[in-house]
Amino acid sequence: MTDSAQPIKVDIWSDIACPWCYIGKRKFEAGSGLFAGAGEQRGVEIEYHSFELSPDTPVDFEGNEADFLATHKGIPAEQAQQLLDRVTGIAASVGLNYDYDHLKHTNTVLAHEAVHFAKSQGKQLEMTERLLSAYFLEGRYVGDVAELAALGAEIGLDSDALTTALETHEFLAAVREDQQTAVEYGINGVPFFVIDGKYGVSGAQEAQTFAQVLEQVWRERGSVPEAVDA
């Protein structure tokens, strides 16, 4: 396989509690699908990395999402609700039915540790999707060890091993390493996509934008000097 036919590596910094990260995930999946659909063995390899938008969030936050947003951003509750309504509409446009009435806001560091455990078992992508769905669509409590173990079991992970890893914080250092790398890259918001180690794309861009960047990287890999007529 030539270098140009190797899958394009995409590193994604994301937070389980970030609504734009789930939206961006769907848009990136659509964009990478457009890219891969062009043939010639085009492919993408994805790796997720931890980023905490609000690391000071308590595990047992009391109040709904509008309460948290109003406090966190220092805005009136009515304005916070308008922001949630807006993001709910955008999420619906990519097939995600956000349920803020039942969402349980919590600290996400344990969820990130669970994703790293899943990565060690070859199931990082599945766990990331499961946790985002559990948080935004199902009102599951992703700050709880037992709930995370149950969610892991749903995708085929050993719940006892996951429980032990979470209770001993076996993967906390890996979470912190991701966060430090984000600092070094200058990432201060998510989702953030690093494509082929050299192109940074910030935010939940449209599918076509992602497809264009991937195509640009692909063409650069396969480019050869053109012959110049004497």
Side-chain angles (χ1 to χ4, degrees), residues 7-75:
I8 293 175
K9 177 70 182 300
V10 180
D11 294 280
I12 305 174
W13 271 262
S14 176
D15 192 2
I16 299 302
C18 168
W20 296 105
C21 289
Y22 206 4
I23 293 168
K25 183 176 186 293
R26 283 291 183 271
K27 290 188 174 184
F28 179 79
E29 288 166 349
S32 61
L34 291 171
F35 165 72
E40 297 182 10
Q41 296 181 300
R42 285 168 170 80
V44 175
E45 176 189 345
I46 297 170
E47 181 176 352
Y48 278 92
H49 300 276
S50 302
F51 190 100
E52 291 180 273
L53 281 173
S54 304
D56 58 345
T57 301
V59 174
D60 299 311
F61 177 78
E62 294 184 6
N64 59 28
E65 188 67 6
D67 295 330
F68 174 82
L69 194 59
T71 301
H72 183 66
K73 290 187 173 293
I75 59 177

Side-chain angles (χ1 to χ4, degrees), residues 6 42 98 164 190:
Q6 294 283 350
R42 285 168 170 80
Y98 283 4
T164 299
V190 288

Side-chain angles (χ1 to χ4, degrees), residues 170-210:
E170 180 182 351
F171 292 93
L172 180 58
V175 173
R176 299 303 184 216
E177 184 178 344
D178 278 353
Q179 293 170 328
Q180 181 57 39
T181 302
V183 170
E184 293 168 2
Y185 277 160
I187 299 171
N188 52 28
V190 288
F192 195 92
F193 305 78
V194 176
I195 299 175
D196 213 32
K198 55 185 177 180
Y199 291 102
V201 179
S202 178
Q205 302 293 329
E206 294 304 318
Q208 191 60 46
T209 299
F210 287 121

